[in-house]
Amino acid sequence: MVRRARRIDRELAAAYPDARAELDFTTPLELLVATVLSAQTTDVRVNATTPELFARYPDAAAYAAADPEEMEQILKPLGFFRAKTRSLIGLGQALVERFDGEVPARLEDLVTLPGVGRKTANVVLGNAFGVPGITVDTHFGRLARRFGWTESEDAVKVEHEVGELVPKKDWTMLSHHLVWHGRRVCHSRRPACGACVVARWCPSYGVGETDPEVARTLVKPGPTPSPSTPQPPHA
């Protein structure tokens, strides 16, 4: 399983050489805020909203002192804007009061912040601070189970079980590879098995469309690998 997992990661790395966090940011605070906002909405919608938000609130102190109604107007396109406004104001206050306005670079500190769980913390650690972390979102969990790396639905268990299969230094990029592949090819309801570059190593090959021509029509927009004719998985 270790060899197969690492081979799949290498193939996905070759297929998605530009894989990265798809939220736009320039600082750890911006990434933290964007990741909190991405709950129950799309990265595309978040990226359309954050330029105005980041310009209006350049640091933790600005979030802490924000006028709720003003912030709500900016966040309205994201849905759940009142709850998200409360989260960001509380996040700013916690950063100011406990971390001198700076985003901490330790998992155990990040998860104490309002609205921040392990998934958000690992996104920030891996992409803003270069600290390896596995981000178990819905795409990552789905693919990890399809690849046979875990049977668990529990995000923390998935994180630990998959972490045992690949070197720690690769955790952040592995997360990107699986998320990109899950968004583009290995969909939840109808995966494009016939357009999948790791089909021959996937024990779940065949749960989706296997005809290459039909499968290519299922691939969603974005940087995608050149489809090749898959082979059935090894027994």
Side-chain angles (χ1 to χ4, degrees):
M1 185 182 293
V2 169
R3 289 196 300 270
R4 183 158 53 87
R6 295 182 184 189
R7 179 60 184 266
I8 286 174
D9 188 37
R10 288 197 300 272
E11 294 294 328
L12 292 178
Y16 304 109
D18 298 322
R20 64 192 184 283
E22 295 187 88
L23 292 168
D24 296 336
F25 71 98
T26 60
T27 67
L29 177 62
E30 289 183 356
L31 179 57
L32 178 59
V33 167
T35 307
V36 169
L37 292 177
S38 69
Q40 297 175 298
T41 190
T42 65
D43 289 354
V44 171
R45 189 166 291 178
V46 173
N47 289 338
T49 303
T50 50
E52 181 181 0
L53 184 75
F54 293 162
R56 177 65 184 82
Y57 308 102
D59 52 35
Y63 284 101
D67 176 79
E69 291 186 2
E70 182 179 345
M71 185 179 288
E72 285 174 3
Q73 288 303 310
I74 298 175
L75 300 183
K76 213 164 191 177
L78 299 180
F80 303 99
F81 59 92
R82 290 189 179 90
K84 291 181 177 182
T85 293
R86 289 194 296 271
S87 291
L88 294 192
I89 292 175
L91 182 63
Q93 291 170 345
L95 289 174
V96 169
E97 292 169 5
R98 293 194 275 123
F99 299 103
D100 296 322
E102 299 296 324
V103 176
R106 299 196 312 163
L107 179 69
E108 52 266 42
D109 291 331
L110 283 166
V111 296
T112 68
L113 297 170
V116 179
R118 288 184 69 91
K119 182 180 76 172
T120 296
N122 279 325
V123 169
V124 173
L125 289 173
N127 297 282
F129 294 110
V131 178
I134 291 176
T135 303
V136 183
D137 68 355
T138 56
H139 301 290
F140 189 100
R142 179 176 71 252
L143 269 65
R145 287 185 289 274
R146 283 182 176 166
F147 291 155
W149 297 351
T150 181
E151 295 180 355
S152 181
E153 297 281 346
D154 179 84
V156 176
K157 289 182 179 179
V158 172
E159 180 184 336
H160 291 310
E161 290 177 9
V162 174
E164 294 178 357
L165 301 177
V166 296
K168 185 175 182 178
K169 64 181 179 62
D170 297 332
W171 286 357
T172 299
M173 289 310 302
L174 173 72
S175 300
H176 292 322
H177 298 153
L178 264 64
V179 170
W180 276 46
H181 195 58
R183 285 176 171 171
R184 291 158 175 80
V185 178
C186 194
H187 311 136
S188 176
R189 295 186 179 179
R190 195 181 179 192
C193 293
C196 178
V197 296
V198 296
R200 71 176 68 187
W201 300 285
C202 180
S204 299
Y205 173 78
V207 300
E209 180 57 61
T210 58
D211 180 87
E213 294 301 322
V214 177
R216 274 193 281 270
T217 68
L218 301 176
V219 175
K220 292 186 178 178
T224 56
S226 300
S228 58
T229 301
Q231 298 179 18
H234 297 304

